[in-house]
Amino acid sequence: MNKDMKKILFSEDQIRSRCIELGRQISDDYTAMGSSPLLVGLLRGSVPFMAELIKHLDLDAQYDFMDVTSYAGTKSTGDIKIIKDLDTSIEGKDILLVEDIVDTGRTIKAVKELMHNKGARSVKVVTLLDKPERREVEEVAEYVGFEIANEFVVGFGMDFDQRYRCLPYVGVLKDEMYQ
């Protein structure tokens, strides 16, 4: 365990197991719909989760990325900024947004609205972590890896000022590391 962690919440094996389950559920749901989604990874935090998840999808899915941010340090600013938009047209497509964590819900709400405005047929969300205690808007993910308490987590794509993203697990950062 990294010396800056208070504790590990989810190991690499736990994350992989949950991605297998999510992959099966998503594959079953989209197969039943007769569709294959365009996965849209929200950079940068979603990359490790998306890379693990797509290995377990039994779909002919495509993917693209957006770079969207609403954070400064440990706080969500509520100001959504689109840094990189999609390279793919989404008109008439079923979109599955891939997110590392949903907490306030503001980012997901803004991106879902944008997808609908661009003509997406449907927009669903899969997230590795859900932090409902921090929700400020009524947005939910259809597919959730793990629900967590209101702790500052890093690893497996999630960061604190661009650090700790490459940890192979999700951990809780020691308070003194960001206060």
Side-chain angles (χ1 to χ4, degrees):
M1 178 169 74
N2 182 292
K3 65 180 176 45
D4 297 340
M5 294 303 115
K6 187 184 306 184
K7 63 184 175 183
I8 294 176
L9 284 183
F10 305 105
S11 70
E12 188 173 9
D13 287 341
Q14 288 173 302
I15 294 167
R16 184 180 311 106
S17 292
R18 187 64 183 125
C19 284
I20 291 169
E21 294 169 3
L22 286 170
R24 189 174 305 120
Q25 182 183 4
I26 291 165
S27 296
D28 289 349
D29 290 353
Y30 279 93
T31 298
M33 289 171 44
S35 177
S36 195
L38 172 67
L39 279 72
V40 175
L42 298 182
L43 296 172
R44 298 177 190 155
S46 72
V47 172
F49 174 50
M50 186 167 165
E52 184 63 36
L53 180 66
I54 61 175
K55 292 189 284 185
H56 308 290
L57 293 176
D58 188 19
L59 298 166
D60 185 24
Q62 298 178 348
Y63 60 87
D64 199 347
F65 295 96
M66 288 182 73
D67 194 353
V68 180
T69 187
S70 66
Y71 271 83
T74 63
K75 304 251 190 264
S76 177
T77 64
D79 181 25
I80 308 302
K81 293 184 175 109
I82 297 174
I83 298 163
K84 180 208 174 295
D85 206 346
L86 296 171
D87 295 325
T88 307
S89 170
I90 63 168
E91 185 149 353
K93 294 185 180 176
D94 293 311
I95 305 301
L96 181 60
L97 293 176
V98 183
E99 182 64 294
D100 54 352
I101 187 168
V102 176
D103 56 12
T104 66
R106 292 183 183 281
T107 300
I108 289 299
K109 180 178 181 182
V111 174
K112 283 176 80 173
E113 288 173 2
L114 178 65
M115 298 288 123
H116 285 296
N117 290 341
K118 289 181 172 222
R121 181 170 48 191
S122 71
V123 182
K124 293 183 179 183
V125 177
V126 58
T127 186
L128 177 61
L129 302 177
D130 186 21
K131 196 186 290 187
E133 193 177 324
R134 294 242 319 133
R135 201 77 79 240
E136 294 177 7
V137 297
E138 286 303 313
E139 283 298 324
V140 295
E142 286 79 4
Y143 307 100
V144 175
F146 304 97
E147 190 172 299
I148 64 170
N150 188 17
E151 297 180 288
F152 193 76
V153 294
V154 295
F156 212 76
M158 291 165 279
D159 73 301
F160 170 63
D161 285 341
Q162 302 303 322
R163 295 180 60 212
Y164 311 107
R165 282 191 194 278
C166 294
L167 295 173
Y169 54 81
V170 174
V172 177
L173 197 59
K174 289 179 181 174
D175 296 347
E176 61 266 22
M177 300 312 300
Y178 61 90
Q179 290 180 339

